[in-house]
Amino acid sequence: MTTSRSEAARSSRQPSTIVPDRDCQLCPRLVSFREANRAREPSWHNAPVAPFGDLKARLLIVGLAPGMQGANRTGRPFTGDYAGDLLYATLVEYGFAKGTYQARPDDGLKLIDCRIANAVHCLPPQNKPLPIEITTCRQFLAANLATMPNLRAIVALGRIAHDSVLKPLNLKGSQAPFGHGAVHQAGAFKLYDSYHCSRYNTNTGVLTPDMFRSVFAKVKADLD
């Protein structure tokens, strides 16, 4: 009997938790950076950032890693930097969130049928995780996929997020090349690609708000 890609994702070996411990020691470079940031900004979160949203959601959005002024400071994915402004406004527009995003974790914003996680849970220097750090942290992303019983759609924000999702879905890069607006079938799942909603990408025109909205319009239509 063959195993579908969706079954493979759900049966992946999971760590004991779906988010690293606050003092996770798996990546020495990130540990050193975290300790330095804690000493400099003791009131900030400065720890692995847990996913945001319900495990029963049908949609999972995967980002790259916490931003220095964003999730690393506030403790909630995409909260406190420009990427969150565009992401949450888009989620509200397409019914995947409700409330008013105010760039802080106590703003009352609620996700609807949606969950947000990162490929790497800790802040990397210069927002650039090393390949070994991406590989090491993938176990937690895989556990999130495996523990979402209703998961049907995954939006990967950027190539690193895309590549991190492929292995848990039992997909090869040649089967699902990254491209903005691309949609890949993986058993019961669909993987949707988007350029990352960073300020750099929007300022340079790599990603426009309309390009970003088009991805979520497609997701919404497919889930409805």
Side-chain angles (χ1 to χ4, degrees):
M1 183 177 70
T2 59
T3 301
S4 72
R5 290 179 180 129
S6 56
E7 289 169 337
R10 299 201 193 285
S11 63
S12 299
R13 183 180 178 184
Q14 300 175 32
S16 58
T17 178
I18 58 176
V19 64
D21 180 82
R22 176 173 174 79
D23 296 307
C24 179
Q25 300 292 306
L26 291 177
C27 301
R29 189 182 74 118
L30 302 189
V31 172
S32 296
F33 195 48
R34 177 201 309 152
E35 291 175 348
N37 287 325
R38 285 179 178 177
R40 186 173 61 253
E41 298 287 353
S43 65
W44 288 12
H45 178 72
N46 286 320
V49 175
F52 174 37
D54 193 345
L55 276 169
K56 295 181 181 179
R58 292 182 296 164
L59 169 61
L60 176 66
I61 299 167
V62 181
L64 170 56
M68 173 69 85
Q69 298 289 331
N72 180 68
R73 177 173 61 86
T74 64
R76 190 176 76 179
F78 290 91
T79 298
D81 53 20
Y82 174 80
D85 293 347
L86 179 55
L87 175 62
Y88 287 118
T90 304
L91 294 181
V92 169
E93 180 177 352
Y94 287 96
F96 292 115
K98 65 179 179 179
T100 302
Y101 171 68
Q102 297 178 356
R104 62 177 197 271
D106 63 349
D107 57 13
L109 185 80
K110 302 293 184 184
L111 298 184
I112 300 172
D113 203 17
C114 177
R115 185 170 170 84
I116 303 173
N118 279 317
V120 176
H121 289 71
C122 292
L123 172 71
Q126 300 179 327
N127 292 323
K128 295 180 180 179
L130 299 176
I132 185 61
E133 294 160 353
I134 297 167
T135 299
T136 298
C137 211
R138 187 178 292 126
Q139 60 182 304
F140 300 102
L141 178 60
N144 271 274
L145 268 65
T147 54
M148 294 181 67
N150 302 319
L151 182 62
R152 290 295 177 269
I154 302 166
V155 174
L157 301 180
R159 183 180 296 276
I160 289 178
H162 168 92
D163 290 347
S164 292
V165 169
L166 293 186
K167 189 168 184 179
L169 294 183
N170 196 27
L171 280 175
K172 296 179 180 179
S174 59
Q175 296 173 297
F178 176 79
H180 181 82
V183 182
H184 312 283
Q185 192 73 44
F189 305 140
K190 282 187 177 180
L191 171 61
Y192 301 78
D193 288 338
S194 173
Y195 292 133
H196 195 282
C197 49
S198 66
R199 183 183 294 274
Y200 175 82
N201 280 347
T202 56
N203 281 351
T204 58
V206 170
L207 178 71
T208 66
D210 283 346
M211 289 169 62
F212 196 60
R213 286 195 292 266
S214 70
V215 173
F216 287 91
K218 190 178 300 183
V219 174
K220 182 68 172 178
D222 289 347
L223 288 179
D224 287 349

